[in-house]
Amino acid sequence: SSDLSICVLGGGVAGLTSAYLLQRSFPLAQVVLVEGSRRLGGLISSSRGSKGQVIEQGFHSSVLVNKNGREALGLAKLLKLDEDVVGANIEASARRHLFHHGSVQLVPRVQHMLQYCPALMAEPLWPRGREEDESVHSFISRRASRGIADRLADPICRGQLAGDART
C-alpha cells in the first residue's frame, strides 16, 4: 500500500541491505534510511596509505569459507556489483597486516600466539569476569592485556565480523 512508511535505522551493511530489500518487497512504500554519521557503510571503508596502497577497513569474509561470504557475494550479484568484487591474492593474504596507530604492521606471529594463547585457553579453569555478558575486548583485556585487545581483537572483530569488540 502507498500509505506504508518504514524507517530503517543505521546505514551500515545491515541497514542498507534491509532498506534495499524492503523497497523491493514493498515498492509503493516510503522507505527512509536514517544514519547518524556523515557517511554510509558503517565500519566498511577504503582509504589509501602514504605509498598508495589500498587499506580496506571493516567487513572481510571469505566466499570460499563461510555462509556470510556467500551471502555477501549473493547480495553483490543482486545489486549488479559482482563485477566490482576484488578477490584477495591468496599468497599475499598469508601475511596479514593491521593498520594501527597510523601505520601498517604485520599481524603477530607464532611467538606472540604462544605467549598469549595459554592465558586465553585457560578460561574454563580461571574465575569468570564479573560482567554477565562480557565483550570480546573485555575478555582479551582480562586474559592477555588491553594492548592485545586493542591491537588484535578489535581489528579482527571489525575485519571478520564488521563488529566492535567492545560491544
Side-chain angles (χ1 to χ4, degrees):
S1 145
S2 62
D3 294 334
L4 182 61
S5 294
I6 304 169
C7 180
V8 177
L9 299 178
V13 173
L16 291 169
T17 302
S18 296
Y20 176 77
L21 294 175
L22 283 165
Q23 191 65 68
R24 280 188 66 195
S25 298
F26 303 99
L28 299 177
Q30 178 185 13
V31 178
V32 176
L33 179 77
V34 178
E35 169 58 36
S37 69
R38 294 181 186 202
R39 56 174 287 281
L40 297 174
L43 296 174
I44 297 174
S45 67
S46 298
S47 59
R48 291 226 177 252
S50 60
K51 297 178 184 172
Q53 69 273 34
V54 176
I55 299 170
E56 299 289 353
Q57 297 174 309
F59 181 71
H60 163 79
S61 184
S62 173
V63 175
L64 302 175
V65 174
N66 64 36
K67 182 180 174 189
N68 289 342
R70 291 188 298 276
E71 287 177 354
L73 185 57
L75 180 61
K77 285 182 179 181
L78 184 68
L79 298 172
K80 296 181 176 52
L81 296 172
D82 50 320
E83 294 296 321
D84 296 325
V85 173
V86 178
N89 177 314
I90 299 298
E91 207 171 288
S93 294
R95 294 177 40 121
R96 297 287 179 180
H97 294 77
L98 295 174
F99 187 72
H100 181 66
H101 289 302
S103 66
V104 177
Q105 302 174 13
L106 194 61
V107 171
R109 304 307 250 183
V110 173
Q111 67 268 23
H112 297 101
M113 298 306 156
L114 292 173
Q115 181 179 355
Y116 296 109
C117 279
L120 299 174
M121 299 303 286
E123 175 66 15
L125 306 175
W126 293 356
R128 297 183 63 123
R130 293 190 178 120
E131 301 172 38
E132 186 176 319
D133 186 19
E134 187 172 28
S135 69
V136 171
H137 190 275
S138 176
F139 172 78
I140 300 295
S141 294
R142 189 168 49 81
R143 288 293 182 229
S145 73
R146 184 179 175 126
I148 294 298
D150 289 340
R151 285 190 220 77
L152 266 181
D154 193 48
I156 288 171
C157 285
R158 289 177 186 275
Q160 294 295 321
L161 309 169
D164 186 344
R166 288 174 177 82
T167 58

